[in-house]
């Protein structure tokens, strides 16, 4: 009984196995089918840059039987012997080349990048800039410059040469690094001297002259229109019968000296700004709200003072190109604007000052440490006006009573000097500040002696001894 059961089980297992085999054959699967193998790939391929119309020679370690070129229009391979092949660049692009032996195994794989022929560009850059380390690489139709140069001028020159040689069809990417970016300190001196001479002479007459019932009233006032107003209200007044005369005679001589010396430091190729001054408010337009029926005045701020703006470029050793803008401005009452507004019984007056400006802007080239007068001006202005009563003012001597003379002579001399210096950083101990050694005076010294600071010197320096130099004693006659 046991034997028959075992036989029946074996028979069922055999039938199941036979059915599985039949199913696998029906699905097209071969028994014991081998796995797929990757014979050739670019995983271990060697990258080879190649110029258009250029070729390289490849020596293979084993005999080659088969060669596969992915795109023969970009690069082609010519096999002369079983172990030597010639790869030729046809046009710009990328392709792969595989070499196989007689057994179908991969001997070598090449990743070919065909670019423009840049040997001429490399040779020209080496000849023009022998001290620079410039690498020229082609990326498709474009060219990339990499490496290091000494100055920004060399970087710009390399870019312009490469762009000219490559032509319009290619783009040049400038990735050059400047070895040492110099720092330039610019010292600007703005010196101006202005001399003014004003002379005013006039007689104001007021009174009446008559004969009988005929009376003539007259009143003449000198306006001094050349200067705009009288220099002073003080005058010499006299009267003769019904005529009152006021003599206005004044002369003014003045000198204005302006000296500004701003100093600013910036990296080569970068811009820097400097302003020592301030801002003053200028009323603008009115903004009204129709709902509340209220208006507000907008205020704008205008800058004035000593300003400096420059952009240095170190061209070579000792040569600096500067784009400089220097300005010295100040508030003045000349040509000032006065606004008057009445609010009921109160009158409000607002005076907006004018700004007197001296500005110079130019681009120059100067060696380090050299000085150059970038701007200068000599100006002389003369105004003279005579006002009076027509006809009477022409009389030789008596006409002086009926006319006034206003004379202005103004002379201005201005000069702007620039001095650039290539500077290096120093230790902090080697620098001095304007407040070094400054110390406030004590209360007894301020109250009793009128001092506002101690002796100006080092913080630990003792007060210098004051000694008399000469022969001491008495002099007897």
């Amino acid at each position: 009984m046991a034997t028959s059961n075992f036989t029946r089980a074996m028979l069922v297992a055999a039938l199941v196995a036979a059915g599985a085999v039949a199913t696998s054959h029906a699905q097209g699967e071969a028994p014991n089918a081998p796995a797929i193998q990757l014979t050739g790939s670019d995983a271990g391929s060697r990258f080879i840059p190649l110029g258009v119309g250029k070729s390289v020679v490849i020596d293979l370690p084993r005999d080659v039987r088969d060669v596969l070129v992915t795109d023969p229009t970009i690069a082609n391979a010519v096999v002369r012997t079983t172990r030597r092949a010639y790869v030729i660049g046809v046009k710009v692009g990328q392709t792969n080349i595989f070499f196989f032996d007689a057994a179908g195994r991969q001997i070598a794989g090449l990743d070919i990048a065909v670019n423009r022929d840049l040997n001429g560009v490399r040779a020209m850059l080496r000849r023009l800039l022998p001290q620079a380390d410039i690498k020229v690489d082609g990326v498709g139709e474009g060219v990339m410059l990499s490496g290091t140069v000494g100055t920004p001028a060399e970087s710009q020159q390399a870019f312009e040469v490469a762009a000219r040689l490559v032509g319009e069809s290619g783009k040049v990417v400038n990735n050059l690094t400047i070895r040492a970016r110099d720092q330039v300190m610019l010292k600007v001196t703005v010196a101006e001297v202005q001399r003014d001479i004003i002379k005013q002479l006039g007689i104001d007459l007021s009174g009446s002259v008559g004969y009988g019932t005929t009376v003539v009233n007259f009143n003449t006032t000198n306006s001094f229109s050349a200067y705009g107003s009288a220099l002073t209200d003080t005058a010499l007044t006299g009267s003769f019968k019904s005529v009152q005369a006021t003599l206005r005679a004044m002369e003014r001589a003045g000198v204005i000296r302006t000296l500004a010396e701003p100093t600013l430091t910036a990296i080569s190729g970068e811009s820097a700004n400097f302003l020592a001054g301030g801002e003053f408010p200028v009323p603008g337009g009115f903004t009204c709200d129709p709902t509340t029926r209220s208006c507000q005045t907008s205020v704008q701020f205008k800058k004035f003072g000593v300003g400096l703006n420059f952009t240095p470029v170190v061209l070579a050793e000792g040569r600096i190109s500067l784009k400089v803008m220097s300005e010295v401005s100040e508030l003045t009452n000349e040509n000032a604007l006065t606004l008057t507004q009445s609010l009921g019984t109160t009158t409000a007056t607002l005076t907006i000052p004018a700004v007197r400006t001296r500005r110079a802007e130019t681009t120059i080239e100067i060696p380090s440490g050299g000085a150059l007068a970038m701007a200068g001006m000599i100006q002389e202005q003369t105004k003279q006006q005579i006002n009076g009563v027509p006809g009477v003012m022409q009389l030789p001597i008596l006409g002086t009573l009926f006319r006034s003379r206003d004379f202005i002579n103004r002379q201005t001399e201005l000069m702007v000097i620039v001095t650039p210096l290539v500077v290096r950083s120093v230790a902090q101990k080697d620098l001095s500040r304007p407040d070094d050694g400054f110390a406030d005076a004590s209360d007894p010294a301020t109250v009793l002696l009128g001092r506002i600071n101690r002796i100006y010197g080092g913080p630990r320096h003792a007060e210098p001894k004051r000694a008399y130099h000469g022969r001491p004693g008495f002099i007897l006659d």
Side-chain angles (χ1 to χ4, degrees), residues 158-191:
F159 174 77
E160 293 177 355
V161 170
R164 183 65 61 87
L165 295 178
V166 170
E168 299 180 357
S169 59
K171 298 181 180 179
V172 179
V173 178
N174 191 354
N175 197 28
L176 295 173
T177 303
I178 301 174
R179 284 191 294 267
R181 302 192 67 181
D182 296 321
Q183 298 186 88
V184 179
M185 182 181 68
L186 182 65
K187 299 174 62 177
V188 178
T189 301
V190 181

Side-chain angles (χ1 to χ4, degrees), residues 328-366:
V328 177
S329 58
E330 59 185 353
L331 301 180
T332 177
N333 291 327
E334 296 182 6
N335 301 323
L337 179 61
T338 302
L339 302 178
T340 303
Q341 184 177 5
S342 299
L343 301 175
T345 59
T346 305
T347 302
T349 303
L350 176 63
T351 301
I352 302 176
V355 180
R356 182 168 174 263
T357 305
R358 283 83 74 198
R359 181 185 297 114
E361 182 175 0
T362 183
T363 301
I364 59 177
E365 183 176 332
I366 186 173

Side-chain angles (χ1 to χ4, degrees), residues 64 80 146 157 214 251-252 254 257 295 350 362 365 458 477:
V64 63
R80 292 297 184 182
S146 60
Q157 184 179 5
T214 303
E251 181 176 349
R252 175 188 294 177
R257 174 178 177 265
C295 297
L350 176 63
T362 183
E365 183 176 332
D477 293 335

Side-chain angles (χ1 to χ4, degrees), residues 8-30:
R8 188 181 297 111
M10 292 296 295
L11 179 58
V12 172
L15 291 175
V16 172
V21 172
T23 303
S24 63
H25 281 288
Q27 295 178 355
E29 296 181 1

Side-chain angles (χ1 to χ4, degrees), residues 89 137 155 188 191 215 227 278 332 335 384:
D137 298 321
S155 175
V188 178
V215 178
Y227 182 72
T332 177
N335 301 323
Q384 184 171 207

